[in-house]
Amino acid sequence: MRAAESRPADLRKAGPLKAAGGHAAPGAGSIPGSGPGSGPGRGSLPGLVSAHPLGEQLPAVFADDDFALRFVSGLDVVLAPVFTVLDCLEAYFTPALAPEDFLGWLTDWVGTELDGTEPLPTRRHAVASAVALHRVRGTRRGLSAAVELAFGIRPQISESGGASWSARPLGPFPGT
């Protein structure tokens, strides 16, 4: 007989918080510094149930041990967000699907220069096109794409195509 089958029905259905006695300890279920107004952060969601409850995996000798079941249900509360993030990890690295607060981290990781006040679709597009923009950085096409992304207009760029080298700063420009 599995441990979950021998648990009282109200503990199996209630989820980790109810199984642990109806309420969590102060500060339980969240990451310090991730509450409202404390800045960006990942925390647990109220009522999030673990995809892999530890109580069901205990040996049969602990199936009737109320303390052991309550103890591991407390661990389920902590592990549930971890399992959820790992199950959805691919979405975190896809700019179109990433959570808005994680998009800021992606912005830094790919080297886009945004100040965070841009509309969300613009930030997602900037992160998604960052690799292509880095590939053409410093070229006419790259400059045009960067200006279009920043201001929403396609510039008309004319260049001579000439190149020159000078040992002193502010030397003469090549071409006409």
Side-chain angles (χ1 to χ4, degrees):
M1 178 184 300
R2 296 186 58 178
E5 295 168 356
S6 65
R7 289 173 66 187
D10 58 335
L11 290 180
R12 283 192 301 248
K13 294 178 189 172
L17 287 179
K18 293 293 182 190
H23 31 108
S30 66
I31 297 172
S34 66
S38 64
R42 302 258 116 213
S44 66
L45 299 171
L48 183 65
V49 180
S50 176
H52 307 285
L54 296 174
E56 295 177 2
Q57 300 173 23
L58 288 176
V61 71
F62 295 111
D64 293 329
D65 187 355
D66 184 52
F67 174 75
L69 294 175
R70 285 185 293 128
F71 180 77
V72 296
S73 70
L75 296 174
D76 286 339
V77 172
V78 175
L79 292 175
V82 174
F83 290 137
T84 302
V85 168
L86 290 176
D87 287 345
C88 304
L89 191 60
E90 184 179 345
Y92 278 77
F93 299 104
T94 305
L97 302 174
E100 188 173 350
D101 60 335
F102 195 79
L103 191 64
W105 289 358
L106 283 179
T107 300
D108 292 339
W109 290 351
V110 297
T112 56
E113 296 178 9
L114 301 173
D115 60 7
T117 60
E118 297 85 359
L120 184 60
T122 302
R123 287 186 284 156
R124 290 188 188 280
H125 177 67
V127 171
S129 60
V131 173
L133 286 176
H134 287 311
R135 196 173 291 134
V136 294
R137 185 175 180 176
T139 65
R140 179 180 177 187
R141 191 174 94 197
L143 181 60
S144 176
V147 169
E148 184 176 5
L149 181 63
F151 299 108
I153 57 169
R154 181 168 291 273
Q156 181 178 357
I157 300 173
S158 59
E159 60 180 337
S160 67
S164 167
W165 179 86
S166 174
R168 296 188 319 205
L170 302 176
F173 288 111
T176 57

